[in-house]
């Protein structure tokens, strides 16, 4: 298989200068595997992580091409040992991704790998004094990154952005370096590594370099140290038209006579029952659907702990006694902040490169008879098990030009008002979910996603959030840019109307996010290129709330021209996508529709996932392949029962169970899925075989 050497070589491109031998890794690991010695396998991975990566990718690619029980055992063993040694699900995520790649995406991915290798060759020339090769390398890595993003290969996209950062990092390019652009690309790499739960030494070194450049004054989200709020005219692009500076360095397209207006921000905690509508799946009273942390280990024999997802650097929940918990903030195994009461927010302070920041979490435990996706589950803590749910309830607030402002860390990554975290999980197959931070400027009942460009008093402004010496501030300045109006046309029943539908600008104002569900009259946006970033349907109140996450899915970029009122149509007709597999065992041919791959898309290609309380359960019908007649009466896909969840895990409860059927007769058969869904209305598929 030609792809394998390229993938294996590429996986080592960013390894330390003297990577350890993968043959030595496999010799030691396979010996431990033969003895089923999990402790030794963990030690081998910890001692040679680069070798583990090389062997894993080679075997995972082979397994994806051709099923093999021994290969599958080896791949799973490496991924589990990695999980134990590194405390991350990175390799499990990578195997799931590789195994689901179709032939077209596999080919696109191979093109990207070729571009990465060409970029590396150009970097080698540049390192020998050929300055022009930096530009060639930049083109190759940008193309590679975009291609990998298209097929959702976050791992190799992160490598491409890491290379781009090195092109502009003065440490690797003393002449011609642009540190602010380096920080921007380092952050792109870190976002993608975070999305696949990769936090190894290489990622930590990237994070350390990014933070060092920031402390040197090269944060692209803050004005350069020498900047004195210039009121420069628009720069001319090579083609003659007006163009802003790279937004990473801060646009100079400000309104004539405008000035930066600042406000100090202080820490606060959202009260229980706060009615503010936030752009977060967790921001309601359905505590069972919040982020969760499961602490395993007998509390009678020690103080077990487990990492809270998404915080970087990590925060751990320590179970000190049967019903007493604390937070370990410095990874030393002991609690630093007591969780005083599960009915009240827990506040804590953390140190970072910009000083101290404050946070607050609301945590919850559960009882013996909880309704989880309509399955009755016992979530009560025991001696060896405790499941807690949590969400962030802290904010920084103040007053900006006479209007209240609040900035939230809704996605629990420890940063306020940051770009969305791209999160992968077992619940959503093949695509990360964008989880937004939030902000509220002015009075009202709803917040919007955090954004570098905001509408304020009917005009667009550049918003900067600054964190210096533990103090927070917001700065605002009016922009002078061509604008348009972007409206939402959400077709379907009223129950399917989004509470939030967020688009991002992907060109000049990359980093600007707008919630076009905020107003039926439309939202003022800079003229530019946009794409759906995410959204949320939320119906009802309290613990009975029903909700659905909206993802980018198959949606494409679109333009908003200056002076244009553009309407984005989503929703009906809803299309179900699914996959059918066929197998023959002991002479019997069977068909299977895999439940977790049953996916709903809308009119713009947007994707609907994380159905809480109303999981789609379409009826499956079948007919002879090529037939023009209907399929007759079919069978409904089933919801996971408590026994199914015990066997398959909680992820199974978010989708219908697999549907299996003996071949109805000789020849080929095709299948159709349809349902009158209680939230979305009519959803249906094409006939597929």
């Amino acid at each position: 298989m030609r792809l394998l050497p390229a993938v294996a070589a590429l996986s080592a491109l960013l390894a330390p200068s003297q990577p350890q031998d993968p043959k030595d890794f496999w010799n030691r690991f396979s010996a431990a595997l033969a003895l089923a010695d999990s402790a030794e396998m963990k030690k081998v991975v910890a001692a040679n992580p680069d070798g583990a990566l090389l062997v894993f990718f080679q075997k995972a690619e082979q397994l994806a091409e051709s099923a093999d029980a021994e290969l599958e055992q080896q791949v799973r063993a490496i991924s589990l040992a990695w999980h134990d040694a590194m405390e991350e699900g990175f390799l499990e995520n990578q195997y799931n991704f590789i195994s689901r790649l179709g032939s077209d995406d596999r080919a696109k991915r191979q093109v990207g790998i070729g571009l990465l290798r060409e970029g590396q060759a150009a970097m080698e020339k540049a390192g020998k004094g050929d300055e022009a090769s930096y530009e060639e390398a930049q083109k190759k890595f940008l193309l590679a990154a975009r291609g990998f993003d298209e097929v959702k290969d976050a791992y190799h996209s992160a490598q491409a952005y890491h290379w781009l950062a090195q092109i502009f990092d003065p440490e690797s390019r003393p002449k011609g370096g642009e540190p602010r652009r380096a920080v921007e690309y380092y952050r792109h790499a870190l976002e993608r590594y975070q999305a696949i739960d990769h936090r190894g030494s290489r990622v930590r070194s990237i994070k350390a370099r990014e933070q060092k450049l920031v402390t040197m004054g090269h944060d692209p989200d803050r004005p350069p140290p020498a900047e004195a709020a210039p009121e420069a005219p628009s720069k001319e692009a090579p083609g003659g038209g007006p163009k802003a500076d790279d937004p990473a360095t801060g646009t100079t397209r400000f309104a004539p006579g405008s000035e930066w207006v600042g406000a100090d921000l202080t820490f606060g905690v959202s009260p229980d029952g706060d009615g503010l509508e936030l752009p977060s799946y967790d921001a309601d009273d359905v505590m069972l659907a919040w982020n969760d942390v499961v602490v395993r280990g007998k509390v009678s024999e020690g103080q077990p702990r487990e990492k809270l997802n998404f915080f970087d650097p990590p925060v751990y929940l320590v179970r000190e006694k049967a019903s007493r918990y604390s937070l370990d903030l410095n990874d030393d195994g002991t609690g630093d902040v007591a969780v005083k009461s599960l009915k009240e927010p827990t506040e804590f302070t953390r140190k970072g490169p910009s000083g101290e920041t404050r946070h607050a979490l609301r945590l919850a435990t559960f009882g013996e008879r909880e309704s989880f996706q309509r399955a009755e589950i016992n979530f009560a803590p025991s001696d060896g098990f405790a499941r807690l749910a949590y969400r962030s309830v802290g904010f920084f607030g103040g007053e900006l030009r006479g209007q209240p402002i609040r900035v939230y860390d809704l996605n629990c990554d420890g940063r306020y008002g940051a770009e969305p975290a791209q999160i992968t999980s077992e619940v959503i197959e093949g695509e990360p979910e964008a989880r937004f931070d939030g902000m509220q400027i002015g009075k009202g009942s709803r917040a919007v996603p955090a954004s570098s460009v905001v509408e304020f008093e009917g005009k667009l402004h550049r918003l900067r959030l600054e964190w210096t010496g533990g103090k927070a501030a917001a700065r605002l300045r009016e922009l002078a840019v061509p604008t348009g109006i972007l409206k939402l046309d959400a077709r379907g029943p009223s129950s399917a109307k989004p509470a939030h539908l967020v688009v991002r600008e992907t060109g000049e104002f990359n980093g600007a996010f707008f919630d076009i569900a905020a107003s039926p009259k439309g939202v003022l946006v800079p003229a530019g290129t946009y794409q759906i970033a995410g959204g949320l349907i939320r119906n009802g109140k309290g613990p009975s709330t029903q909700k659905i996450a909206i993802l980018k899915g198959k949606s494409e970029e679109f333009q908003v021209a200056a002076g244009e009122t553009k309407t984005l149509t989503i929703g009906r007709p809803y299309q179900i996508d699914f996959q059918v597999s066929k197998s023959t065992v002991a002479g019997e041919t069977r068909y299977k529709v895999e439940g977790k791959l049953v996916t709903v898309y809308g009119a713009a290609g947007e994707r609907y996932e994380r159905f809480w309380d109303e999981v789609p359960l379409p009826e499956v019908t079948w007919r002879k392949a090529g037939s023009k007649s209907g399929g007759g009466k079919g069978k409904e896909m089933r919801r996971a029962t408590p026994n199914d969840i015990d066997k398959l895990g909680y992820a199974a409860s978010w989708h219908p169970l697999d549907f299996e059927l003996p071949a109805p007769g000789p020849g080929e058969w095709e299948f159709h899925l349809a349902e009158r869904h209680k939230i979305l209305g009519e959803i249906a598929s094409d006939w597929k075989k």
Side-chain angles (χ1 to χ4, degrees):
M1 187 171 75
R2 291 185 177 181
L3 182 57
L4 289 179
V7 173
L10 188 62
S11 298
L13 287 181
L14 298 179
S17 57
Q18 294 181 334
Q20 293 168 293
D21 186 1
K23 292 182 180 179
D24 176 67
F25 164 80
W26 182 240
N27 288 338
R28 294 180 59 198
F29 189 88
S30 58
L33 178 60
L35 298 173
D37 188 342
S38 58
E40 180 63 19
M41 287 187 278
K42 174 182 174 180
K43 287 171 60 178
V44 174
V45 168
N48 189 352
D50 292 317
L53 283 177
L54 288 167
V55 173
F56 171 84
F57 275 105
Q58 184 181 44
K59 292 183 178 295
E61 294 277 354
Q62 289 174 334
L63 183 59
E65 293 261 327
S66 178
D68 181 281
E70 184 178 6
L71 260 180
E72 183 168 4
Q73 181 192 25
Q74 294 169 354
V75 167
R76 186 156 295 279
I78 297 173
S79 66
L80 290 174
W82 184 281
H83 183 277
D84 291 342
M86 306 300 180
E87 295 187 345
E88 62 179 24
F90 165 52
L91 290 192
E92 294 163 286
N93 290 334
Q94 287 303 287
Y95 172 62
N96 290 334
F97 165 73
I98 293 169
S99 64
R100 297 299 179 192
L101 272 178
S103 57
D104 289 346
D105 285 348
R106 192 176 292 275
K108 292 178 182 178
R109 184 166 173 260
Q110 188 169 0
V111 170
I113 288 168
L115 287 167
L116 269 182
R117 293 172 67 85
E118 291 171 13
Q120 184 196 18
M123 286 289 281
E124 290 177 358
K125 290 182 180 179
K128 296 176 182 178
D130 184 3
E131 192 71 17
S133 292
Y134 279 118
E135 184 176 351
E136 178 66 18
Q138 181 184 354
K139 291 178 181 177
K140 298 294 184 182
F141 292 139
L142 277 172
L143 286 172
R146 290 167 182 166
F148 289 134
D149 284 343
E150 183 179 347
V151 300
K152 301 178 178 64
D153 184 349
Y155 177 63
H156 286 104
S157 177
Q159 291 192 338
Y161 279 115
H162 189 176
W163 277 111
L164 282 163
Q166 292 176 4
I167 289 175
F168 295 102
D169 192 331
E171 187 173 65
S172 54
R173 187 184 178 187
K175 295 181 180 180
E178 298 180 41
R180 296 170 76 83
R181 295 187 70 179
V183 171
E184 180 186 12
Y185 287 130
Y186 279 134
R187 287 177 176 174
H188 284 321
L190 290 167
E191 286 169 5
R192 284 151 180 80
Y193 279 133
Q194 181 187 34
I196 54 177
D197 195 23
H198 189 22
R199 305 182 303 276
S201 59
R202 187 174 307 143
V203 180
R204 290 194 294 272
S205 69
I206 296 173
K207 182 67 175 175
R209 182 58 185 162
E210 179 261 345
Q211 290 183 347
K212 184 174 182 179
L213 288 172
V214 167
T215 58
M216 294 168 65
H218 303 305
D219 189 343
D221 290 330
R222 296 173 61 184
E227 183 183 48
E231 297 175 6
S234 300
K235 292 189 176 181
E236 291 292 317
K243 180 178 175 58
D245 286 349
D246 183 339
T249 63
T251 180
T252 56
R253 296 173 68 178
F254 297 118
S258 66
E259 296 180 352
W260 287 103
V261 178
D264 293 332
L265 305 179
T266 57
F267 180 73
V269 178
S270 298
D272 192 17
D274 186 354
L276 187 68
E277 174 60 39
L278 294 165
S280 167
Y281 190 91
D282 305 324
D284 52 41
D285 293 328
V286 185
M287 293 182 287
L288 283 165
W290 290 0
N291 303 306
D292 70 340
V293 55
V294 178
V295 183
R296 292 184 173 88
K298 291 186 177 181
V299 70
S300 60
E301 299 177 357
Q303 294 189 351
R305 65 170 193 160
E306 186 56 61
K307 181 175 68 69
L308 301 181
N309 288 329
F310 317 131
F311 276 102
D312 182 22
V315 174
Y316 293 85
L317 181 72
V318 181
R319 192 179 184 197
E320 297 180 339
K321 292 187 177 181
S323 58
R324 192 173 80 189
Y325 304 88
S326 62
L327 298 178
D328 175 8
L329 305 178
N330 56 12
D331 195 11
D332 64 358
T334 59
D336 300 302
V337 175
V339 177
K340 296 179 181 179
S341 168
L342 295 177
K343 296 181 180 180
E344 299 176 3
T346 296
E347 299 182 34
F348 58 97
T349 300
R350 309 185 69 196
K351 293 182 179 180
S354 300
E356 293 184 340
T357 56
R358 296 180 64 184
H359 304 271
L361 295 176
R362 192 177 298 280
L363 298 100
T365 55
F366 303 102
E368 295 180 351
R369 301 179 64 180
E370 299 286 354
S371 179
F372 189 89
Q373 296 285 40
R374 302 194 185 181
E376 189 174 286
I377 304 293
N378 179 5
F379 283 132
S382 64
D383 182 41
F385 169 92
R387 181 182 187 271
L388 282 78
Y390 64 94
R391 72 180 182 95
S392 173
V393 292
F395 65 85
F396 275 84
E399 188 173 281
L400 193 59
R401 278 177 44 175
Q403 295 290 337
I405 177 173
R406 285 185 176 185
V407 184
Y408 298 85
D409 172 28
L410 299 178
N411 56 28
C412 291
D413 67 353
R415 298 182 297 160
Y416 289 84
E419 282 212 12
Q422 301 293 327
I423 304 299
T424 58
S425 69
E426 292 181 307
V427 173
I428 300 174
E429 188 72 19
E431 181 178 355
E433 176 189 7
R435 298 190 185 179
F436 303 94
D437 279 350
M439 60 174 55
Q440 181 188 25
I441 302 179
K443 299 177 181 179
S445 60
R446 61 181 292 128
V448 296
S451 175
S452 61
V453 177
V454 298
E455 181 180 354
F456 184 79
E457 297 179 344
K459 297 179 180 180
L460 292 181
H461 290 70
R462 176 78 163 94
L463 177 68
R464 287 196 177 114
L465 302 173
E466 301 179 355
W467 312 90
T468 307
K471 296 182 179 180
R475 300 178 74 219
L476 192 72
R477 188 173 180 185
E478 185 182 341
L479 291 168
V481 295
T483 62
I485 300 293
L486 187 53
K487 299 179 67 174
L488 177 64
D489 180 10
R491 298 182 178 179
S494 58
S495 55
K497 181 181 178 180
H500 304 275
L501 198 286
V502 181
V503 299
R504 72 177 301 161
E505 210 282 327
T506 62
E508 177 184 343
F509 291 99
N510 189 12
F513 296 83
F514 300 92
D515 186 353
I516 61 174
S519 171
K521 297 180 180 179
V523 175
L524 184 68
V525 299
T529 305
Y530 290 85
Q531 186 164 43
I532 291 174
L536 175 68
I537 295 171
R538 183 159 27 220
N539 294 321
K541 294 183 178 180
S544 61
T545 299
Q546 296 177 319
K547 51 189 175 180
I548 305 171
I550 303 175
L551 279 63
K552 179 179 71 174
K554 301 176 182 178
S555 62
E556 297 181 351
E557 292 184 344
F558 58 92
Q559 303 290 323
V560 177
E564 178 185 16
T565 296
K566 178 85 171 185
T567 299
L568 175 64
T569 300
I570 67 166
R572 195 169 53 200
Y574 296 100
Q575 182 82 12
I576 300 178
D577 193 16
F578 67 99
Q579 293 185 19
V580 180
S581 60
K582 179 181 176 183
S583 61
T584 302
V585 179
E588 181 186 43
T589 299
R590 299 183 66 84
Y591 291 89
K592 180 171 76 172
V593 176
E594 194 167 349
K596 69 178 180 179
L597 299 182
V598 173
T599 309
V600 180
Y601 293 93
E606 76 279 7
R607 179 176 175 180
Y608 296 83
E609 287 286 355
R610 296 180 76 195
F611 289 76
W612 178 256
D613 195 51
E614 283 296 344
V615 173
L617 301 172
E619 181 184 53
V620 183
T621 54
W622 51 90
R623 69 184 185 186
K624 275 279 192 179
S627 173
K628 300 300 181 183
S629 63
K633 184 170 178 59
K635 294 183 178 180
E636 186 178 276
M637 301 186 77
R638 293 193 306 110
R639 183 189 302 272
T641 65
N643 287 338
D644 295 319
I645 294 173
D646 284 342
K647 180 180 177 182
L648 302 172
Y650 292 107
S653 65
W654 293 86
H655 297 276
L657 294 176
D658 294 348
F659 176 88
E660 297 193 49
L661 181 77
E668 295 292 323
W669 293 80
E670 57 188 13
F671 295 80
H672 180 266
L673 274 60
E675 178 186 4
R676 184 185 291 275
H677 190 264
K678 290 186 179 179
I679 297 176
L680 300 182
E682 297 292 341
I683 59 176
S685 74
D686 295 329
W687 285 93
K688 294 180 68 174
K689 61 179 181 179

